[in-house]
Amino acid sequence: MSTSALYDAPGPRARARHRLFSALGILVFLGILFLVVRKLQSAGQLQGYMWQPFLVDRAVWRDYLLPGLIGTFKAAAISIVLAGVLGLLLGVGRLSRVAPVRWVSSVVVEFFRSVPVLIMMLASYGIYSRSGVVAPDTAPLAGVVTGLTLYNGSVIAELVRSGVHSLPKGQREAGASIGLSEGQTLRIVLLPQALTAMLPALVGQLVVVLKDTALGYQITYQELLFWSKTLGSAFANPVAAYVVAAVIFIVVNYLLTLLAGRLERRLRSRGGRGAPGAPASAGTPGAGAAGTPAAQPATPSGAGVA
Amino acid sequence: MIELLQKYDVLGAFVTTIELSALGAVGALVIGTVVAVMRVSPVATLRLLGTSYVNVFRNTPLTLLVVFSVLGMTYLLGLQLSPDVATNAFRWAAIMLAIYHAAFVCEAIRSGFNTVPAGQSEAARSIGLTFGQGMREVILPQAFRGAVAPLGSTLIALIKNSTVAAVVGVNESANLMSVMIENETAGIAVFAIFAAGFVILTLPLGLWFTSLSRRLAVQR
């Protein structure tokens, strides 16, 4: 981590100071914890019957939390597949040599990236349930999937684009020199490398999708947050139910973040071994936000990437 | 579409969205900076606390936080920020927006620190600057310039995420839109109005931040 460059190796006085700061930090943290516990206690939220069901009552998991998780994963899985397809199409569209195709894709991508997911969910849910295109009981799922697909599709399109841009120029030239057409070069040479380089960012995007399924709460989609609310009323332990739901979300998403980090390291080490095409320097291509062309492709300085 | 705009207070709803975003952004910037300083500090305990903050709030859905703030904090724990139900929801939503986005602000600032090569602080020390001076004169100016682009994306995300306040009935744009979708038959037109509103809010901001980050980028 380059952060180590921010300070010197501590001497005896600095170490004493650090111990003081440590103690202060722990004290503040324990203080906050104490306030929270006391508040929960005085509001009568720490009684055994509120927290015990999560350990002993199988129905809590069978009838509430697992269906919630299934709802969350179902919406996320469908959305990520559809978003992948849409993203690939729009990303290739933005790379197209045909100007109108490029413009249309750009407008679509920029539009869906600037509209909040909740707005798209509410609108599509309203339209679906009114028009009857979708069966009434699948309208919430369809609404959630539509919102997530449109937003994440355009994010993935940007990932595809910046991934292809981050490849060395020689890749395209090599494709052309062995007689591949423009489209063949993209399909056979560029996209596979770009997508591999994008894999960590794509897994990271999964975290966003999983979290955003919770927005489905507003259009009565039955995901984890919805079910934990129901659970809270059934067992008269709403605070405990929300806390457990939060912990589940945090654990699942944290594991996905770890996986993304691991993929990234593995890809980088593979590039380091000198596979000619492996985009070792493509560190965090996802960071290439709105219209930032891969301006600094050659920074393999090993600087810590968040 | 004109009559829709005359019938409903769309502008007022967007004003609430902007207020909510502004409050959330200021709060997120303050908390996020503190957490970022903790995360790059030499004290291991503070680093651990900062990292935990980021991991907890980055991985929790904002919707859950906002729902919990009103249903849990207000009704069960009695933490009421205003006797008025609507004001209470608004204030809690702003606080939760700040707490949630602080994790992303922290990461943005940290990525700014990462853009500063190690040689810069070594150079600062080699010409005899103290740690504080080196920080102030050499490191921080470069770090903030490097953090402009990710801070911009965080701000834009915050503006869009302020719609989540609709789940606790704050009278902002997403809330008004769901009312309008319910009452009006012209669903697409309603969507177009609100989508346009957000495009107007976020797109120029994004372009401005991109050009700003280019202009301020430290040439290396």
Side-chain angles (χ1 to χ4, degrees), chain A residues 2 5-8 18 22 26 39 113-114 116 118-119 123 130 151 211 218 242 250 253-254 291 304, chain B residues 40 43 45 47 58-60 71 77 100 114 121 125 131 160 163 167 177 181 184-185 191 198 202 214:
Chain A
S2 61
L6 294 175
Y7 42 83
D8 291 306
H18 292 175
S22 270
I26 291 175
K39 189 76 216 167
R113 278 204 320 167
S114 29
L118 183 60
I119 291 277
R130 172 99 38 81
Y151 174 70
K211 279 195 306 181
Q218 184 69 351
Y242 285 131
I250 292 168
N253 287 332
Y254 184 64
Chain B
V40 298
V43 185
T45 319
R47 278 205 303 271
R58 206 171 42 168
N59 290 320
T60 315
L71 294 184
L77 303 183
Y100 177 80
N114 279 339
S121 62
R125 256 171 266 149
F131 173 73
K160 292 190 290 169
T163 52
V167 301
M177 189 184 90
I181 290 261
E184 303 292 327
T185 43
F191 172 67
F198 276 98
T202 59
R214 278 220 195 99

Side-chain angles (χ1 to χ4, degrees), chain A residues 10-266:
Chain A
R13 262 166 64 194
R15 273 206 297 274
R17 205 164 54 230
H18 292 175
R19 274 198 296 277
L20 180 72
F21 282 140
S22 270
L24 279 178
I26 291 175
L27 253 149
V28 170
F29 174 70
L30 288 180
I32 294 173
L33 204 66
F34 173 73
L35 284 179
V36 170
V37 168
R38 206 183 58 174
K39 189 76 216 167
L40 285 172
Q41 181 77 54
S42 66
Q45 293 293 331
L46 281 182
Q47 291 159 32
Y49 78 90
M50 290 180 167
W51 298 82
Q52 219 175 11
F54 294 102
L55 297 175
V56 294
D57 196 340
R58 209 173 282 166
V60 166
W61 293 89
R62 191 188 55 214
D63 299 339
Y64 296 94
L65 293 176
L66 281 181
L69 266 177
I70 290 170
T72 290
F73 281 129
K74 190 163 81 178
I78 301 174
S79 307
I80 200 76
V81 170
L82 292 180
V85 173
L86 182 69
L88 207 56
L89 286 176
L90 287 173
V92 170
R94 286 200 83 165
L95 292 164
S96 164
R97 285 283 153 112
V98 188
V101 174
R102 212 163 55 226
W103 295 334
V104 170
S105 324
S106 302
V107 169
V108 171
V109 167
E110 291 301 337
F111 177 76
F112 286 126
R113 278 204 320 167
S114 29
V115 179
V117 181
L118 183 60
I119 291 277
M120 295 193 272
M121 279 189 194
L122 287 170
S124 51
Y125 173 65
I127 292 168
Y128 289 149
S129 51
R130 172 99 38 81
S131 66
V133 200
V134 183
D137 52 333
T138 48
L141 174 65
V144 171
V145 167
T146 307
L148 289 178
T149 301
L150 293 179
Y151 174 70
N152 293 289
S154 47
V155 172
I156 291 174
E158 283 302 282
L159 289 181
V160 169
R161 191 175 72 121
S162 59
V164 169
H165 276 308
S166 72
L167 295 175
K169 219 173 92 203
Q171 294 294 321
R172 176 167 257 154
E173 289 163 359
S177 74
I178 57 167
L180 297 181
S181 74
E182 195 73 44
Q184 281 173 321
T185 310
L186 189 64
R187 206 172 58 240
I188 303 172
V189 181
L190 300 178
L191 275 183
Q193 297 184 53
L195 291 180
T196 320
M198 290 293 123
L199 212 55
L202 277 175
V203 176
Q205 195 62 26
L206 264 175
V207 174
V208 177
V209 176
L210 269 174
K211 279 195 306 181
D212 281 356
T213 53
L215 289 169
Y217 175 88
Q218 184 69 351
I219 57 170
T220 69
Y221 179 61
Q222 308 195 352
E223 43 67 65
L224 187 54
L225 180 58
F226 174 94
W227 276 111
S228 56
K229 194 187 171 204
T230 320
L231 168 71
S233 347
F235 285 76
N237 60 351
V239 171
Y242 285 131
V243 170
V244 170
V247 169
I248 296 177
F249 268 116
I250 292 168
V251 169
V252 171
N253 287 332
Y254 184 64
L255 290 178
L256 280 175
T257 316
L258 285 185
L259 177 68
R262 195 171 239 174
L263 277 173
E264 191 166 333
R265 270 194 301 280
R266 170 175 284 188

